[in-house]
Structures are given as C-alpha cells and as structure tokens.
Amino acid sequence: MDDYDYNAGADPDDADIIYDVDASFNLTVDNLASYTDERLRVLALNTYQPDSVTGRTNTTTDMQIAGTLTADANTFNIYGNWTTSGTFTAGTSNVDFKAGTGTQDLISGGTGAGKLFNNLTHSGAGTLRLVTNAIDVDGNFNQTAGVFNCNSQNQNFAGDFSLSSGTTYTKGGTLTFDKTATSQNVADATVAPGQDLGAVTIGPSTITTVTTSNKVQVTTLAIGADDTLNITDDTLTIAGTGTPFTITAGGAFSAAGAGPFTAAI
C-alpha cells in the first residue's frame, strides 16, 4: 500500500476522496475535517508501510490494524480509537493520542512481538483509556495533557515515563518498569505527592534501574533481584498499607538527602 496525492492527480475535486498526502508525503485521512468517524484501516493480509527511510506523519481519527502496520520512524496522530488485531511493528515510531475532549480507547491486542509500542504520547486534553488488553511501551511514555485511564489493565514501560503538570494518571493493574542496559527515569510534575501509579514493580525478569525526577507516588512497590530504585533527594510516597514495600534479595533502594520517604499510616 502506497500514499498517493490525488489532489495532484486527475481528480482533485472528487468528493469521494477525503484524504490528502501533502508535498512532504504526510497523510491526513480527512484533510478537510469533514467527518468525525473516518479511519485508517489496514486490512487482513495487507501491509501498510508509510515510509521506511524518512519519518512521515499520518493523521486520522481511528486506527484499525487487522493486517500489518510497519511503522518505522513515522508519527501517528490519533484523534479517535486504536485497535490492533493484526501486527503492529513499532520500529522507532511515535503514536500520539490527541483528542481534546471525550474518551479514546486503546486496544493494543496484547503484549509481545507485534503488539508493542515504541514512543507513546498522550497530548490531548481528553481521556485515553486502555480497553481489553495490557499495554507494553518499549520507548518513552509522555503524558502532556488530559487523563490516562489504565482501566484495570497492566502496563509495561521500558523507557522514560513522564507526567506533565495538570495531568491525571488513573492507576489499574500492575505497572512494571523493565528497561535493560541503561536506566529509565520517572518524572512526575503534577501536584504533590504526585499521581498514584498503583502497584509498581521494577524488574524482576530484567535488570532494571529506575531514577526519579522530583517525586513518585505508588500504592505498593516491589523491587526485584538485581533491580534498583534511586530517588536521590526526591520524595517517594507509598500509599498502601500492610506490606506495601518489598525488595527481593539482590535488589536495591537508594536515596540521599533528608526526608525522601513517606508512608501511609
């Protein structure tokens, strides 16, 4: 499947053609914003590869992947829902959920090969909600606006994790940090004590080091063997009760400065 600019072809005014590919080969499915239910569908047994060399931008309301989407270094701006029932080969791509109002549903299709995201951004002022499946983000996760609703689904993050001021992260399932080789950073710029990330695990199937920027709040925290949480002089808040903080033998927790740790009573 290729991108073709019909506006430059023989039928520039064909009302049946609602999409546009600009001079830089960026695709907008509804270039005149005439509809609210348009979708970019990759049909079963088909492969869509927007650009294998230079990153392009694909903009649509819904993304439906029944075949194979080979993302490479492309950017996907999504204003509706994302559904993967086929194969999503993320490459070094960025998927940005951008709706300013309402709820966008993300159905990842599962975790593992063909379901992973690289960089995932939520920049819309609305709500991005996980539905049916867990999510696995191998690149960076950036929430710059709105609400991210985990909706009882698990989350795996293998890159930096960032929450901008004014955003809401609604916990659910287990959040696992699992980057290998180099450390990953957790940055929460929301009002203290920060967003409760829920049940958080570092590792344990990977050798993972997590650092923080300013603060982090969790319900429970489990640090696996060979894994490390280093909060330096930041604040760690553990909101759970009972035994909310465990470190498996070989794991490590480190801090510097006064008063970096608070716990629920």
Side-chain angles (χ1 to χ4, degrees):
M1 178 178 176
D2 296 319
D3 293 334
Y4 175 75
D5 186 0
Y6 276 95
N7 285 337
D11 302 303
D13 299 314
D14 192 329
D16 294 329
I17 298 171
I18 68 169
Y19 71 87
D20 177 64
V21 179
D22 66 18
S24 298
F25 298 101
N26 299 309
L27 169 67
T28 302
V29 173
D30 180 13
N31 67 303
L32 298 179
S34 300
Y35 303 92
T36 59
D37 59 350
E38 75 274 8
R39 65 202 66 181
L40 178 56
R41 299 178 64 188
V42 184
L43 300 178
L45 305 180
N46 287 268
T47 297
Y48 176 44
Q49 186 174 25
D51 194 305
S52 62
V53 179
T54 303
R56 310 296 183 185
T57 299
N58 294 259
T59 301
T60 184
T61 296
D62 293 340
M63 173 68 77
Q64 298 176 345
I65 307 168
T68 298
L69 172 57
T70 303
D72 297 305
N74 296 281
T75 295
F76 298 86
N77 293 329
I78 308 298
Y79 287 85
N81 302 323
W82 176 290
T83 304
T84 301
S85 58
T87 300
F88 175 51
T89 305
T92 58
S93 65
N94 182 62
V95 177
D96 188 357
F97 292 88
K98 300 176 72 70
T101 60
T103 298
Q104 298 180 260
D105 287 341
L106 194 169
I107 302 174
S108 67
T111 58
K115 310 299 181 185
L116 306 175
F117 287 83
N118 182 51
N119 295 329
L120 191 149
T121 301
H122 181 218
S123 65
T127 296
L128 176 58
R129 178 177 61 185
L130 302 183
V131 175
T132 307
N133 306 118
I135 193 171
D136 197 339
V137 180
D138 267 6
N140 297 328
F141 173 83
N142 294 291
Q143 184 179 354
T144 61
V147 176
F148 187 90
N149 183 357
C150 296
N151 194 30
S152 300
Q153 302 299 324
N154 294 336
Q155 318 108 65
N156 283 66
F157 297 104
D160 292 339
F161 179 95
S162 176
L163 304 178
S164 296
S165 176
T167 62
T168 299
Y169 193 90
T170 304
K171 64 183 180 180
T174 298
L175 187 158
T176 301
F177 293 110
D178 58 5
K179 187 174 185 177
T180 59
T182 59
S183 64
Q184 60 188 123
N185 184 256
V186 177
D188 186 345
T190 65
V191 174
Q195 299 297 295
D196 187 346
L197 302 183
V200 172
T201 297
I202 298 175
S205 60
T206 55
I207 299 176
T208 299
T209 296
V210 174
T211 61
T212 61
S213 295
N214 59 55
K215 60 183 171 296
V216 61
Q217 180 182 192
V218 301
T219 302
T220 62
L221 175 63
I223 301 175
D226 300 318
D227 303 309
T228 301
L229 172 61
N230 183 2
I231 67 170
T232 59
D233 58 352
D234 297 326
T235 298
L236 167 65
T237 300
I238 299 179
T241 58
T243 309
F245 187 12
T246 60
I247 304 177
T248 301
F253 171 73
S254 61
F261 172 79
T262 61
I265 298 175

